[in-house]
Amino acid sequence: MKNLLLIVLLFAFTSSFGQITTTNDQLFGGTRPVEKANFHDFGVVSEATQYEFIISNSNKVPISIKTTEIPEGYGVVVVDKVIKPNSVGKVIIKVFPEQIVVKGDFEKSIKILSEYEALGEKVTNDIIFTIKGKIQ
Amino acid sequence: MKKILLISALLLSSFLTFSQITISDSQLFGSTRNLAVGVDFGQLTNTVIEKEYIISNPTKTDMVITNVDIPEGFGVVIPQKTIKAGTFVKIKVLAYKDYIKDENTDLMKTLLVTTEYYTYEGKVSTIQVINLKFVK
């Protein structure tokens, strides 16, 4: 009984350090939860399909798209490498069912590192797009 | 005799103090290497052109493709992120004529693929520089 209590207490204690998972673009200094604009549900995917995500830049300096972390079997097309101030850029996420080994439901994140210069210093931010669906 | 001894000691001490140890280091461990190779897309058309590029793992440990730096107008599909020791993975590189904004007709862009593997000395990151040649 004592051991059980100890385990429960230990679990409660460690869970207090748990991190809140937020899919965010920390572009403007804040952490935001998953936004509709950063999320897309492909539904049932039986053939190659794609979705265009929009990255908006309301900064006063241009944003550059740097590195991208792509999940296995998915594709990323960079339409706009540099996004001018007060304009939008596009990134296309492609799903290739034949490339994906594990069929069924999926939920994946595509992490894009963006960069801009502020006061002579380079500032990097993660932009995370989340996609879900079902591979048939 | 004293003089000879003194000069010898002086020579030895100066040699030990000021001589530089030459290390022929391939920088394989704990550093980043650049390897330059290329893909020729030839004349771009209005439809997407797809080419395969082989990322090989000549090491004795598994290697992971961590991220890619995709140039504007190009896409990348990674079928498999982990490359087993001594094997290779074929990544797909996609070229979209409409998304390449450069006015020049004969161009070359660079795709960077970062891979990582671990040795007993630590993490090794390799940036593979893939030159993408095309005629617009």
Side-chain angles (χ1 to χ4, degrees):
Chain A
M1 189 59 188
K2 262 186 181 176
N3 279 347
L4 192 68
L5 200 69
L6 192 72
I7 289 166
V8 171
L9 276 172
L10 199 70
F11 181 74
F13 178 71
T14 51
S15 66
S16 67
F17 293 102
Q19 292 192 0
I20 300 161
T21 307
T22 50
T23 305
N24 61 344
D25 94 29
Q26 299 212 348
L27 200 59
F28 309 110
T31 302
R32 291 184 288 159
V34 178
E35 284 187 11
K36 207 180 169 187
N38 285 7
F39 176 82
H40 180 69
D41 189 347
F42 280 97
V44 177
V45 182
S46 55
E47 57 184 29
T49 185
Q50 65 179 50
Y51 183 78
E52 284 182 3
F53 279 103
I54 302 289
I55 300 169
S56 60
N57 179 12
S58 58
N59 274 352
K60 288 177 181 173
V61 288
I63 294 175
S64 299
I65 301 297
K66 306 305 268 187
T67 57
T68 307
E69 287 178 27
I70 310 172
E72 286 181 0
Y74 298 83
V76 173
V77 180
V78 176
V79 180
D80 300 291
K81 189 83 176 164
V82 178
I83 306 160
K84 288 177 182 167
N86 294 314
S87 64
V88 293
K90 268 191 281 187
V91 168
I92 300 170
I93 310 295
K94 295 177 86 83
V95 182
F96 296 93
E98 75 279 4
Q99 298 271 339
I100 298 161
V101 181
V102 183
K103 308 294 181 199
D105 292 334
F106 70 88
E107 185 164 343
K108 298 282 176 187
S109 293
I110 294 97
K111 193 165 127 185
I112 293 170
L113 186 80
S114 68
E115 188 183 89
Y116 65 92
E117 269 196 34
L119 302 167
E121 281 189 23
K122 283 182 180 173
V123 181
T124 57
N125 286 300
D126 289 336
I127 302 169
I128 298 173
F129 295 120
T130 306
I131 51 168
K132 66 177 278 193
K134 188 174 187 176
I135 303 291
Q136 210 170 35
Chain B
M1 189 64 185
K2 262 186 183 176
K3 268 187 181 173
I4 293 169
L5 264 173
L6 191 71
I7 290 164
S8 301
L10 200 68
L11 273 173
L12 188 68
S13 67
S14 64
F15 174 75
L16 288 175
T17 312
F18 299 109
S19 67
Q20 290 194 1
I21 301 162
T22 307
I23 302 169
S24 296
D25 188 3
S26 66
Q27 304 254 330
L28 194 61
F29 303 109
S31 59
T32 302
R33 289 186 301 156
N34 285 343
L35 308 164
V37 276
V39 177
D40 193 350
F41 283 92
Q43 178 73 49
L44 296 184
T45 57
N46 288 330
T47 53
V48 57
I49 297 178
E50 187 181 303
K51 293 272 180 187
E52 279 186 331
Y53 182 79
I54 291 173
I55 307 277
S56 55
N57 177 9
T59 71
K60 287 176 182 173
T61 55
D62 289 357
M63 183 185 266
V64 178
I65 300 172
T66 52
N67 63 61
V68 286
D69 189 345
I70 309 166
E72 192 169 71
F74 287 85
V76 171
V77 183
I78 299 170
Q80 197 183 314
K81 287 185 91 169
T82 304
I83 311 167
K84 296 211 159 140
T87 65
F88 63 87
V89 158
K90 286 179 185 171
I91 65 163
K92 279 183 186 174
V93 187
L94 317 166
Y96 293 79
K97 186 187 173 188
D98 293 344
Y99 300 149
I100 299 167
K101 297 174 189 81
D102 298 80
E103 295 300 320
N104 300 332
T105 52
D106 204 351
L107 291 163
M108 192 169 76
K109 297 224 176 191
T110 306
L111 165 68
L112 305 177
V113 178
T114 307
T115 55
E116 276 178 12
Y117 64 94
Y118 286 86
T119 68
Y120 62 93
E121 288 187 346
K123 187 171 78 177
V124 181
S125 286
T126 304
I127 299 171
Q128 193 146 333
V129 183
I130 305 164
N131 295 321
L132 310 174
K133 268 184 73 179
F134 58 93
V135 180
K136 201 177 166 189

